[in-house]
Amino acid sequence: MESESSKPVTSLPTDLTREKPSLDDNGMFCFSIGIFVAAGGALVVNTIVISAVLKTPDLRQKNSSKMILSFLVSSILIVSTAMTVIALSWYEEGKYIHPSVMAVLFALVWDFVIARNLTSCTLALTRLSSMLWPFTYQRIMKDKSIFFVLAPWLLSALLGIPALYGVLGVPNIKTFEYVYPPNQTVLHEIAMKTYVFVSIGVPVIVTCIAYGIMFYKVSKVKRSGSVTQGVPTNHHISKWRSGVTRALLANLTSILCFNIPHILVHMTNLNKESAILPVIHLLYALQYILDPMMFVIFAQQYRQACVHLFRGGNPEMSRVSDES
């Protein structure tokens, strides 16, 4: 007869771990406050950028803006759900919350994270294609731009299903993290790591490669020409190259500093009650504030849109081509 420990998980996890982490109660309270503040800040910043884009017709109609809006919406869904989990866990340490409810909320956060990473990957690949094959990019995006917006969400819905059935373990409401069940088998651990790598690791790696190629291409631009359609030449090329280089470096730095450590936490055997875990998750939460700010800092059109939003006027922006 098959032993109990070797049976695969086939239902919603119903055990919520409530053991204290290595941090004391004051440390966990400060961490919870930090996560809550970062989530609230991200909610405000992402909402501002979305409102600015939607109020700017020329910017709203761009294909790249549609993917950026999808990226920002996924961020709002993540921080909103995360704040709900935190609030519920604060109330009497979650003892009145049904385990299945908390498991679903944890799974939703995970699903939205997958959608966000896939959208970021799609955005990076379309930007790369616009640089390498501008005419093919314009032809494809003209008729199938909605596909690149919806595909990450459909794929994330499929990839998020295993989290509902315990592949990542059971939710720990004290550390806001999944923990392994005590009877975990080697096969389950391999399945968990493979699942994490495929669902969030691969999109992040592909995104890094795409931005790395773009950075290399931009760095090779000569003053006498350009690598992509619509790029200004002659004395303007130096300014354009400098701006694009800074934007690409900012994207790569954000991924390497915030996404990679978060992925490694899920893929390694790091003690889920280690004191370093809250620090990694707090840094990861800050990414949801910095990413929308980078769109405003490095893109003149987004800066103008935000200025017009706060001034309450109708933006008068020149119509631009659908560049990345």
Side-chain angles (χ1 to χ4, degrees), residues 220-290:
K220 295 297 182 180
V221 174
K222 305 299 182 180
R223 289 184 178 274
S224 58
S226 61
V227 295
T228 182
Q229 180 180 359
V231 175
T233 56
N234 301 328
H235 64 282
H236 296 291
I237 191 66
S238 178
K239 182 178 180 180
W240 170 84
R241 180 174 55 183
S242 177
V244 174
T245 300
R246 289 195 299 268
L248 292 173
L249 279 176
N251 279 283
L252 279 172
T253 302
S254 175
I255 294 173
L256 294 176
C257 293
F258 302 117
N259 280 69
I260 299 300
H262 182 246
I263 294 173
L264 292 178
V265 163
H266 286 282
M267 292 194 62
T268 62
N269 290 324
L270 176 68
N271 181 8
K272 298 305 180 181
E273 296 183 355
S274 171
I276 196 176
L277 190 64
V279 177
I280 293 177
H281 277 81
L282 185 58
L283 289 175
Y284 180 71
L286 293 177
Q287 182 186 33
Y288 292 85
I289 299 177
L290 297 177

Side-chain angles (χ1 to χ4, degrees), residues 55-277:
K55 285 181 64 68
T56 308
D58 290 341
L59 191 58
R60 184 177 64 239
Q61 294 171 6
K62 293 180 61 178
N63 288 324
S64 59
S65 293
K66 296 175 184 177
M67 284 181 282
I68 290 174
L69 285 174
S70 177
F71 177 80
L72 298 175
V73 168
S74 66
S75 298
I76 289 179
L77 292 174
I78 291 171
V79 297
S80 299
T81 311
M83 285 192 295
T84 302
V85 172
I86 294 174
L88 292 176
S89 61
W90 272 356
Y91 184 69
E92 296 294 332
E93 296 186 353
K95 65 182 180 181
Y96 296 116
I97 309 301
H98 194 279
S100 295
V101 174
M102 192 66 76
V104 169
L105 290 174
F106 267 71
L108 282 176
V109 173
W110 183 258
D111 185 56
F112 295 147
V113 168
I114 296 175
R116 186 178 189 269
N117 288 343
L118 288 174
T119 302
S120 177
C121 180
T122 303
L123 184 61
L125 291 176
T126 54
R127 284 174 167 172
L128 178 62
S129 64
S130 70
M131 178 179 289
L132 300 179
W133 310 285
F135 297 105
T136 302
Y137 165 80
Q138 289 186 355
R139 186 174 64 252
I140 294 176
M141 295 301 291
K142 183 179 180 180
D143 301 323
K144 301 180 180 179
S145 61
I146 191 64
F147 169 79
F148 294 98
V149 175
L150 296 179
W153 291 92
L154 296 175
L155 186 56
S156 68
L158 294 176
L159 291 174
I161 293 176
L164 277 172
Y165 290 89
V167 172
L168 294 176
V170 295
N172 186 325
I173 65 173
K174 291 290 292 184
T175 59
F176 311 110
E177 179 60 81
Y178 284 102
V179 295
Y180 305 146
N183 59 347
Q184 174 183 258
T185 64
V186 175
L187 182 61
H188 179 263
E189 182 178 356
I190 294 175
M192 183 276 297
K193 291 183 178 181
T194 303
Y195 168 61
V196 172
F197 179 74
V198 171
S199 58
I200 64 175
V202 171
V204 170
I205 292 174
V206 173
T207 303
C208 286
I209 293 174
Y211 280 124
I213 295 175
M214 283 187 280
F215 178 78
Y216 172 79
K217 287 290 184 180
V218 172
S219 66
K220 295 297 182 180
V221 174
K222 305 299 182 180
R223 289 184 178 274
S224 58
S226 61
V227 295
T228 182
Q229 180 180 359
V231 175
T233 56
N234 301 328
H235 64 282
H236 296 291
I237 191 66
S238 178
K239 182 178 180 180
W240 170 84
R241 180 174 55 183
S242 177
V244 174
T245 300
R246 289 195 299 268
L248 292 173
L249 279 176
N251 279 283
L252 279 172
T253 302
S254 175
I255 294 173
L256 294 176
C257 293
F258 302 117
N259 280 69
I260 299 300
H262 182 246
I263 294 173
L264 292 178
V265 163
H266 286 282
M267 292 194 62
T268 62
N269 290 324
L270 176 68
N271 181 8
K272 298 305 180 181
E273 296 183 355
S274 171
I276 196 176
L277 190 64

